[in-house]
Amino acid sequence: MTTNSPRPVADHILNFIGGSYRKGSQGKTFDNVNPATGQTIGTVYEASEADVADAVAAAKAALDGPWGKMTTAERVKLIVAVAAEIERRADDFLDAEVADTGKPRHVASHIDIPRGAANFRMFADVIATMPGESFTTPTPDGGQAINYAVRKAKGVIAVICPWNFPLLLMTWKVGPALACGNTVVVKPSEETPRTAALLGEVMNAVGMPQGVYNVVHGFGGGSAGEFLTSNKDVDAITFTGETGTGQAIMQKAAVGVRDVSFELGGKNAAIVFADADLDKAIEGLSRSVFLNTGQVCLGTERVYVERPLFDEFVRRMTLAAQAFKPGSMGDPAYLGPLSSAEHRDKVLGYYAKAVEEGATVVTGGGVPKVEGDQAGGFYVEPTLWTGLAHDATVIREEIFGPCCGVIPFDSEDEVIALANDTDYGLCATVWTENVSRAHRVAAAMQVGVCWVNCWFLRDLRTAFGGSGHSGIGREGGVHSLEFYTETANICVKL
Ligand SMILES: NC(=O)c1ccc[n+]([C@@H]2O[C@H](COP(=O)([O-])OP(=O)(O)OC[C@H]3O[C@@H](n4cnc5c(N)ncnc54)[C@H](O)[C@@H]3O)[C@@H](O)[C@H]2O)c1
Ligand SMILES: O=C/C=C/C=C(\O)C(=O)O
């Protein structure tokens, strides 16, 4: 079923600490708003500093309990059971995710929820099949020693998440953290607390020991986010969100010399050569620009098109943009809202800035007319600009909305320089049918991930992350083990 009709969802969203749900000890709450309607649909119970400390203490204690004593095989069995239980309750997760984000049900049912389960299954496999390292070493007395590495859980991991793919991005970290034997305290985005809370029920249903998985609700600075990153019993922090927030978290992590893994913002370029298969490029880039209403860290916000193809590309992308129906929930072409009124205003600020800086608005640029229940939703029009200089604000700053600037180029060297001229380095896409050029240009992109003739095609075993202001470290497959375990070398003299 891929209709957008809402089903009832729980309207009290609680913290999950030591295996039990609870309100905040200071009695503070905040509203849970459905961005598709602008209506308040629930109450979130904010964790106090004492609640966060309880969650961290529960996570620390769990390391010494049954969880810490399990064999890898026992842990893997539980993690696979978590995946199966998410799948069994897929409709509940779907309702929760759609209520929090307003995204189309078909997006959540094809991307967010299946990935929530896959993230557990894949890391269960990785840990079950993890190879080891060993060296035989000559010793001064003419004998030998054997060196071998063992990987140990790092301890209590703080997992701080954004609102754009709440379950997917949270489990992308919780999956490997648990597979490696850690315990976690999750701080979901204040805008999308539901699926993290619901996952607590899954943990209890499969018999996950108490304290292995904990959730605290609240905001960033001066609230649960900062309480968590400041807690000295947190051993490492994994974070997905804005670059500025990453900088604030890194300062907290410096106290106690804690490790961080950061997946941050992007200003991702697409390069479309004149020999590209235009159908493929339009299909891929219309998803890359507009999927999830442009609220995808991997999304494209700058498209460089080789001059002979420029006009035709703009014409076809315009049709693709106009095919989306912001606010028409129930229509298969429904384009969801932005995540909040605040984010909508930020995106509209960029729409105004683009015009101020001389853009031609090819399509969109405003707020769609939406009627009925959704009149109060936070919708904007899908938007394309041409005529922008490379240093225009909307070509340089991350917007996180359904929009992009299209800019012509004349040579391969020129476009490589333009694409790389950014502080960010998350991903890029290259569109060409020339195989040599595809490899050459992809390797020249200063990014963590480069797609050729496709976008967001994910193999969860591959390294994922960004360079520059887009992040620190790589997660995915065995790369996640680098962050979620501590490697110890054991040297045995024979
Ligand atoms: N690189 C990636 O993989 C990736 C994936 C998704 C989103 N993102 C980025 O996320 C951003 C959008 O998400 P967002 O607006 O939720 O990001 P955000 O940085 O505003 O918030 C993310 C989380 O951090 C918390 N937080 C905020 N300030 C904090 C502080 N001082 N201490 C501790 N926690 C704090 C928030 O409460 C939230 O849970 C975009 O920049 C996007 O590019 C990156
Ligand atoms: O919005 C960003 C989406 C990121 C996707 C992943 O981190 C992933 O697919 O693992």
Side-chain angles (χ1 to χ4, degrees):
M1 271 291 282
T2 56
T3 68
N4 287 299
S5 56
R7 298 194 331 159
V9 289
D11 58 0
H12 289 268
I13 302 140
L14 300 162
N15 302 287
F16 183 71
I17 299 174
S20 302
Y21 285 96
R22 58 155 107 154
K23 297 181 175 180
S25 60
Q26 285 186 341
K28 282 194 189 170
T29 60
F30 57 93
D31 288 345
N32 176 241
V33 173
N34 181 343
T37 60
Q39 310 265 305
T40 296
I41 52 168
T43 301
V44 190
Y45 290 83
E46 185 174 347
S48 66
E49 189 160 11
D51 300 322
V52 173
D54 281 357
V56 175
K60 192 173 157 80
L63 290 165
D64 295 326
W67 178 247
K69 296 179 182 63
M70 274 182 201
T71 61
T72 301
E74 288 167 332
R75 229 168 44 229
V76 161
K77 201 168 159 195
L78 267 182
I79 291 168
V80 170
V82 170
E85 183 67 5
I86 293 174
E87 283 158 352
R88 196 184 69 77
R89 295 196 59 186
D91 282 347
D92 296 336
F93 278 96
L94 194 52
D95 291 339
E97 208 71 304
V98 169
D100 269 351
T101 61
K103 67 175 74 188
R105 284 184 85 80
H106 66 88
V107 170
S109 68
H110 283 91
I111 300 179
D112 301 65
I113 311 308
R115 260 297 293 283
N119 286 335
F120 285 99
R121 271 190 209 290
M122 194 275 296
F123 285 106
D125 273 356
V126 168
I127 209 75
T129 57
M130 177 180 68
E133 169 184 285
S134 85
F135 298 98
T136 305
T137 311
T139 54
D141 62 4
Q144 293 196 111
I146 294 178
N147 282 283
Y148 65 95
V150 291
R151 287 186 182 272
K152 301 174 184 178
K154 219 166 213 172
V156 177
I157 311 285
V159 181
I160 302 186
C161 308
W163 41 256
N164 56 338
F165 290 100
L167 181 72
L168 184 162
L169 290 170
M170 187 258 292
T171 52
W172 174 240
K173 294 170 178 303
V174 171
L178 299 193
C180 292
N182 301 285
T183 58
V184 297
V185 180
V186 173
K187 210 299 278 171
S189 168
E190 52 275 31
E191 290 170 23
T192 55
R194 287 175 188 269
T195 47
L198 189 54
L199 193 59
E201 290 182 20
V202 167
M203 296 291 169
N204 283 348
V206 303
M208 187 65 75
Q210 293 176 357
V212 171
Y213 174 82
N214 305 276
V215 180
V216 291
H217 295 299
F219 303 85
S223 181
E226 186 176 349
F227 301 149
L228 183 57
T229 55
S230 307
N231 188 301
K232 68 176 177 33
D233 286 328
V234 165
D235 296 296
I237 303 166
T238 179
F239 168 71
T240 300
E242 284 181 13
T243 302
T245 310
Q247 291 179 25
I249 291 176
M250 206 163 173
Q251 290 183 341
K252 300 291 175 190
V255 181
V257 203
R258 276 108 34 97
D259 203 358
V260 294
S261 174
F262 284 169
E263 294 175 7
L264 308 176
K267 189 70 186 177
N268 311 308
I271 301 179
V272 185
F273 286 98
D275 64 10
D277 176 329
L278 191 57
D279 290 343
K280 251 190 243 169
I282 295 290
E283 189 281 328
L285 287 174
S286 60
R287 279 189 300 111
S288 185
V289 176
F290 303 118
L291 178 76
N292 217 38
T293 319
Q295 303 166 115
V296 184
C297 57
L298 307 166
T300 299
E301 289 190 357
R302 315 180 269 154
V303 185
Y304 299 98
V305 183
E306 201 169 1
R307 204 172 297 271
L309 196 61
F310 186 80
D311 290 344
E312 181 61 2
F313 179 87
V314 171
R315 190 185 71 77
R316 297 274 305 269
M317 263 312 262
T318 303
L319 295 177
Q322 290 170 349
F324 288 101
K325 302 283 173 246
S328 301
M329 203 185 266
D331 190 315
Y334 171 54
L335 185 72
L338 294 169
S339 66
S340 63
E342 192 191 354
H343 188 49
R344 186 225 13 228
D345 294 346
K346 179 180 158 188
V347 172
L348 289 176
Y350 279 112
Y351 281 16
K353 190 84 185 165
V355 172
E356 223 174 86
E357 294 188 348
T360 299
V361 181
V362 181
T363 185
V367 174
K369 197 167 162 39
V370 178
E371 285 167 353
D373 281 358
Q374 290 167 260
F378 310 131
Y379 298 96
V380 295
E381 290 175 336
T383 296
L384 290 185
W385 301 292
T386 56
L388 282 163
H390 180 63
D391 61 356
T393 308
V394 297
I395 297 298
R396 302 209 67 88
E397 295 182 11
E398 181 185 56
I399 301 171
F400 229 54
C403 53
C404 72
V406 192
I407 297 176
F409 71 89
D410 294 300
S411 77
E412 187 177 310
D413 287 347
E414 176 201 4
V415 77
I416 290 172
L418 287 172
N420 284 339
D421 182 19
T422 168
D423 291 334
Y424 291 108
L426 188 55
C427 72
T429 60
V430 178
W431 304 85
T432 176
E433 293 297 303
N434 176 328
V435 72
S436 306
R437 174 146 59 197
H439 288 287
R440 199 166 56 231
V441 176
M445 293 293 98
Q446 289 162 8
V447 293
V449 181
C450 185
W451 279 287
V452 177
N453 295 334
C454 60
W455 174 74
F456 208 172
L457 188 57
R458 293 279 286 116
D459 181 325
L460 306 186
R461 297 167 297 183
T462 60
F464 182 88
S467 55
H469 290 193
S470 291
I472 296 182
R474 294 290 180 271
E475 296 196 33
V478 294
H479 307 278
S480 293
L481 305 182
E482 294 304 322
F483 179 72
Y484 294 103
T485 61
E486 206 65 74
T487 302
N489 187 69
I490 297 175
C491 178
V492 183
K493 172 93 167 62
L494 299 180

